[in-house]
Amino acid sequence: MTSDKNRVVIFDTTLRDGEQSPGATMTHDEKLEIASMLDEMGVDIIEAGFPIASEGDFAAVSEIARAAQSATICGLARANLKDIDRCWEAVKHAKSPRIHTFIGTSPLHRAIPNLTMDEMADRIHDTVTHARNLCDNVQWSPMDATRTEWEYLARVVEIAIKAGATTINIPDTVGYTAPNESAELIRRLIAEVPGAEDVIFATHCHNDLGMATANSLAAVEGGARQIECTINGLGERAGNTALEEVVMALKVRHDIIPFTTGIDATKLMAISRRVSAVSGFVVQPNKAIVGKNAFAHESGIHQDGMLKNAETFEIMRPEDVGLTETSLVMGKHSGRAALRSKLAELGYDVDGNQLADVFVRFKALADRKKEVFDDDLIALMQDEERSGEDRIKVGTLRVVCGTGGPAEAALTLTIDGDAVSAEATGDGPVDAAFNAVKTLVDHRARLQLYQVSAVTEGTDAQATVTVRMEEEGRIVSGQSADTDTVVASVRAYVNALNRLMVRREKAGTDAREISYKDVG
Ligand code: KIV
Ligand code: ZN
């Protein structure tokens, strides 16, 4: 890392705070893949998980720690020795490890472990000291800092610094603060807490009032030099500060916010798409920087202006964030080599059997759809990656629907290699098809979300369907794309069921029986 006083450290918590968002659970391999993309794009610190939460979290953090090339790998731990030891066991494999320990310091949070202010202060001293004896790089967070009494906050920050914390993170846990307050809080802590000049102050904002990015940038103006954020702003409730927003704000408005990061912004689009695909959280079309419409200019006036001079309506170029022009790629006559090179251009290296498999799916798509665009290929690849190790696979599907009577569906699935079939009726084709799946796969999951969005334009466009389901507190998402919306719906539903199976199997160890909100 640099000693430049205007360099802001980017701390990405997509795999911890982001993944904690109900339904955003990622598989082990998906976490490794995202971590490697974060590392490659220049993220300084990756918060890879919460090792005590489950065997799965522990394994993911350990493996990410071993694999990381340049990023510091951080794990989360509550304020107790067992959590901290477990965290260290996972992160110690990294070239550069960090332990992040925290406790809720506001009146509401202090009431949970039922500690007096003095008892909590002692706990902070003991746990930070313990963490520092294990690791040179220790981050400490007073959770709900922005609703903690000033005197108490200043007191516990000083204790953490004296006990050896090297980074002090000031979380706005419930997204309550406003930009001027955010800047002032950091400024005052730096000015008034003894020892503050020896540590880095971090800002960690949630977006409940839509101010997370503004609050993070204001904190930097106040003296913070680490921003905690997630890709696409993923995170519980309204999410966390979006990495792409702070990075691009610092680039585009360098004239008035003169700070730099080490992020290669041309990798933003690719990682945004990947996080959206693996988390099942679709990026809203008008989302800043990475939304589908962020660079689209549809109105006549805009188009005219854009043709004359792109800067008329564009403050950054699409290629600055890695958005290549959506181009017509191929049709049904395109060959395997052309597909392979196009996929490589889109960031997918496929060869051998995988290429053969993708080629068959591409041909089937090109038969149904005259024009195959980059976004179609990305959707196809995402489906390919999702279905890899699924226990349940969709075979054939026939639906009959129309006016006058319920829709009917006939379906075959392969479950653990055995073909099974069922018929069912329902209120429309999707309902009938889902009912058919339900007769074959025993579950009590409730559908929480069913969302359809078009991948490209035209009536032959593929539809991406996202479903989110909940069974006994376990929330899973599934996604799929197809030119046939009912087929995409059933595949998305089955994708979610496959994830539910994995969660059920690991229920003893891998369900989030421990939450970061339990004080422990
Ligand atoms: O929002 C929050 O307070 C957190 C802490 C664990 C840092 O995520
Ligand atoms: Zn948080």
Side-chain angles (χ1 to χ4, degrees):
M1 251 169 262
T2 164
S3 55
D4 175 356
K5 67 180 182 22
N6 283 359
R7 167 72 151 80
V8 172
V9 168
I10 294 294
F11 176 109
D12 180 278
T13 183
T14 306
L15 298 174
R16 198 279 297 168
D17 220 347
E19 208 247 356
Q20 222 161 267
S21 176
T25 317
M26 300 173 200
T27 66
H28 182 83
D29 289 349
E30 287 165 352
K31 288 183 193 171
L32 296 189
E33 186 194 345
I34 299 296
S36 135
M37 292 176 90
L38 291 168
D39 198 6
E40 254 178 53
M41 77 185 283
V43 162
D44 301 289
I45 302 158
I46 299 172
E47 187 164 49
F50 181 19
I52 195 105
S54 68
E55 292 299 328
D57 263 45
F58 181 83
V61 178
S62 312
E63 215 172 312
I64 290 168
R66 284 194 173 90
Q69 294 301 312
S70 54
T72 294
I73 302 302
C74 173
L76 185 69
R78 292 166 300 177
N80 69 68
L81 306 192
K82 210 165 143 221
D83 268 44
I84 293 170
D85 288 343
R86 190 74 174 146
C87 179
W88 173 240
E89 282 308 306
V91 297
K92 71 178 184 193
H93 307 289
K95 291 186 191 119
S96 167
R98 173 180 289 192
I99 296 174
H100 175 194
T101 181
F102 75 99
I103 195 160
T105 51
S106 66
L108 286 168
H109 283 264
R110 286 200 303 267
I112 305 172
N114 202 13
L115 294 177
T116 64
M117 283 174 150
D118 288 344
E119 284 166 345
M120 183 168 279
D122 288 345
R123 172 90 78 102
I124 293 164
H125 172 266
D126 294 349
T127 49
V128 174
T129 304
H130 183 68
R132 188 56 205 268
N133 285 337
L134 297 170
C135 183
D136 285 346
N137 189 340
V138 173
Q139 170 167 330
W140 180 73
S141 298
M143 185 160 73
D144 207 12
T146 53
R147 293 192 301 168
T148 300
E149 306 89 324
W150 161 255
E151 289 73 22
Y152 191 58
L153 183 64
R155 175 179 167 199
V156 288
V157 165
E158 184 180 349
I159 290 172
I161 295 174
K162 285 211 173 104
T166 45
T167 297
I168 299 290
N169 176 36
I170 301 299
D172 183 30
T173 306
V174 291
Y176 177 71
T177 202
N180 54 348
E181 245 180 20
S182 176
E184 191 46 34
L185 183 58
I186 301 282
R187 201 171 281 132
R188 198 166 169 202
L189 285 166
I190 294 176
E192 296 185 26
V193 174
E197 63 286 359
D198 300 330
V199 299
I200 290 194
F201 275 82
T203 177
H204 175 113
C205 299
H206 283 261
N207 202 29
D208 298 66
L209 292 173
M211 295 195 278
T213 297
N215 287 337
S216 302
L217 295 173
V220 168
E221 308 244 35
R225 287 295 176 272
Q226 175 177 305
I227 297 181
E228 307 208 352
C229 46
T230 60
I231 302 294
N232 298 338
L234 191 67
E236 269 183 292
R237 309 186 310 276
N240 290 60
T241 301
L243 180 146
E244 61 277 8
E245 292 177 15
V246 287
V247 166
M248 290 313 290
L250 291 177
K251 261 186 191 295
V252 175
R253 295 313 314 272
H254 194 74
D255 54 334
I256 55 158
I257 331 173
F259 303 92
T260 53
T261 73
I263 300 293
D264 173 358
T266 63
K267 298 201 182 320
L268 287 172
M269 263 334 281
I271 193 160
S272 162
R273 284 183 175 136
R274 200 65 199 119
V275 167
S276 167
V278 302
S279 66
F281 277 62
V282 179
V283 175
Q284 76 191 60
N286 54 331
K287 163 84 181 63
I289 318 294
V290 291
K292 212 174 164 47
N293 293 352
F295 292 93
H297 299 273
E298 282 208 14
S299 87
I301 301 169
H302 282 208
Q303 281 182 353
D304 186 48
M306 287 292 293
L307 288 174
K308 292 190 179 119
N309 178 359
E311 281 178 25
T312 320
F313 287 103
E314 254 177 22
I315 55 166
M316 47 198 158
R317 295 168 310 159
E319 53 271 32
D320 296 342
V321 300
L323 185 67
T324 46
E325 191 97 324
T326 295
S327 53
L328 176 61
V329 278
M330 286 168 296
K332 61 181 172 188
H333 300 298
S334 310
R336 206 177 282 230
L339 176 65
R340 182 165 170 241
S341 96
K342 186 69 207 179
L343 287 175
E345 207 181 285
L346 295 173
Y348 297 96
D349 280 321
V350 286
D351 246 324
N353 286 347
Q354 198 196 2
L355 178 61
D357 191 37
V358 172
F359 189 63
V360 170
R361 296 178 74 162
F362 161 71
K363 282 283 174 189
L365 178 63
D367 268 343
R368 280 177 287 142
K369 196 172 183 300
K370 285 192 299 291
E371 301 170 321
V372 178
F373 295 90
D374 289 359
D375 284 349
D376 288 314
L377 286 180
I378 290 166
L380 186 142
M381 286 308 295
Q382 289 176 344
D383 252 23
E384 168 80 9
E385 280 163 352
R386 267 191 293 267
S387 59
E389 292 174 5
D390 285 353
R391 287 178 54 192
I392 316 169
K393 292 190 193 297
V394 179
T396 59
L397 171 69
R398 294 246 166 285
V399 285
V400 181
C401 60
T403 52
E408 295 163 17
L411 167 88
T412 62
L413 297 180
T414 311
I415 305 180
D416 294 330
D418 296 329
V420 285
S421 55
E423 291 180 8
T425 57
D427 295 331
V430 174
D431 191 44
F434 282 17
N435 286 340
V437 174
K438 260 187 243 161
T439 65
L440 297 172
V441 184
D442 181 33
H443 70 83
R444 293 169 303 289
R446 230 172 26 86
L447 195 63
Q448 285 192 332
L449 171 88
Y450 170 75
Q451 189 171 316
V452 183
S453 55
V455 174
T456 55
E457 276 123 49
T459 49
D460 66 349
Q462 293 197 87
T464 294
V465 176
T466 306
V467 301
R468 191 171 307 139
M469 308 200 299
E470 186 266 339
E471 186 189 76
E472 290 166 11
R474 288 179 206 115
I475 301 178
V476 287
S477 309
Q479 239 186 24
S480 186
D482 198 275
T483 49
D484 185 319
T485 309
V486 186
V487 171
S489 303
V490 171
R491 289 217 193 105
Y493 188 49
V494 166
N495 178 233
L497 287 174
N498 278 301
R499 284 170 173 254
L500 188 61
M501 301 262 183
V502 175
R503 292 284 301 277
R504 274 192 205 155
E505 273 163 26
K506 293 185 183 168
T509 52
D510 206 30
R512 289 207 175 268
E513 261 93 43
I514 295 180
S515 144
Y516 85 107
K517 288 184 185 131
D518 303 328
V519 177

